Amino acid sequence: TNQKKDAPSLEEEEFQLVWNDEFDTDGRPDSTKWSYDLGGHGWGNKESQYYTDRIENARIENGILIIEAIMETYDSSEYTSARIDTKKKGDWKYGRIEVKARIPNGTGTWPAIWMLPTLDKRMSWPLDGEIDIMEHVGFNEGHVHGTVHTEAYNHNKGTQKGGEITINDVADTFHVY
């Protein structure tokens, strides 16, 4: 993550790196940078997996963070996976966020890289906002979406603001989002 020292200005080109993770130590993700969301309650999207903090679902191998979905029965869910975040470990008002990722393909997958605010209260979506840096709906391979959700602009109202690009080798190679 690169962030300007003060309020953003398009004329300024000097950025300061304020947060990053190069995943250079095999094993679990760095707990000083990452936390886990746990559970299998559908997450508002009717998701069928149970998110765990198990190393089988989230680990670093050879400099790559691997988030792996596994078809298995776990606490009445049919799949397990991991959902990691930087909540209360990395928050920025301004900046440039870059994530280099290779994402899975296949019907039923829906990998996403997104940002939510860290709040001292329970989140009220979409009032509190969401920025989807990258979403890839597995049944529509190669179509990568970026979307901003707010109280006025969200998919519940059909007013969300977003775009789509086509990346033919989205699951075969790493891309920067």
Side-chain angles (χ1 to χ4, degrees), residues 7 40 52 99 106 114 120-121 148 174-175:
T52 80
V99 180
W114 41 280
D120 291 329
K121 62 180 178 70
V148 175
F174 284 86
H175 295 276

Side-chain angles (χ1 to χ4, degrees), residues 41-42 45 51 57 70 87-88 102-103 108 127 132 156 163 167 172:
H41 51 75
N45 300 315
Y51 288 120
N57 295 117
I70 301 170
K87 189 174 187 178
K88 297 194 178 191
R102 185 180 75 207
I103 59 177
L127 178 65
D132 298 322
N156 290 337
I167 303 175
D172 299 325

